[in-house]
Amino acid sequence: MANLQVRDIDDRLYEALKRRAELEHRSVSQEVVLLIENYLAHDMKESEQKTLRFLELSNSWMDDRNSEKIIKEIRSSRTKNTRSKKEDELFD
């Protein structure tokens, strides 16, 4: 099993970690390992959820028509712009 040594930890942070470990009846070392495990598990779960939400978006718009037909329908539904007349100009 690997060892991990942390240097120059702030005294207040260490004391808070020590109090937390005491409340949970664990050693400081056990508490640190548990905190790291929980953080990494949460981080992976959150990343997995983001991936699943993204994948839900793919294929969310299904259509039996091919792209050419869709484009043709869009173009045919457009109306001719009549604003090109001088009196309809925004700035005369």
Side-chain angles (χ1 to χ4, degrees):
M1 196 172 286
N3 288 318
L4 176 67
Q5 182 178 5
V6 180
R7 293 185 179 168
D8 301 323
I9 190 168
D10 184 75
D11 290 335
R12 292 175 297 163
L13 180 59
Y14 182 78
E15 288 302 318
L17 186 59
K18 188 175 172 182
R19 280 192 306 275
R20 182 178 170 139
E22 287 172 358
L23 288 172
E24 299 296 328
H25 305 288
R26 289 191 274 269
S27 68
V28 172
S29 187
Q30 289 171 326
E31 188 66 21
V32 169
V33 169
L34 184 67
L35 287 170
I36 293 170
E37 286 175 346
N38 288 342
Y39 176 82
L40 293 176
H42 174 75
D43 190 45
M44 291 181 76
K45 190 172 189 173
E46 185 176 321
S47 177
E48 184 178 312
Q49 288 173 347
K50 286 179 182 178
T51 301
L52 291 174
R53 285 194 300 268
F54 175 76
L55 290 175
E56 286 174 1
L57 293 175
S58 65
N59 292 325
S60 62
W61 180 53
M62 300 297 289
D63 201 318
D64 295 332
R65 301 171 295 171
N66 63 22
S67 59
E68 288 95 16
K69 188 171 183 176
I70 294 171
I71 292 169
K72 186 178 177 183
E73 287 182 21
I74 291 171
R75 287 184 176 156
S76 69
S77 69
R78 293 180 178 166
T79 58
K80 187 174 181 182
N81 185 355
T82 58
R83 291 191 53 184
S84 61
K85 296 179 184 176
K86 182 85 172 157
E87 60 271 9
D88 291 336
E89 290 287 329
L90 183 60
F91 301 104
D92 290 333

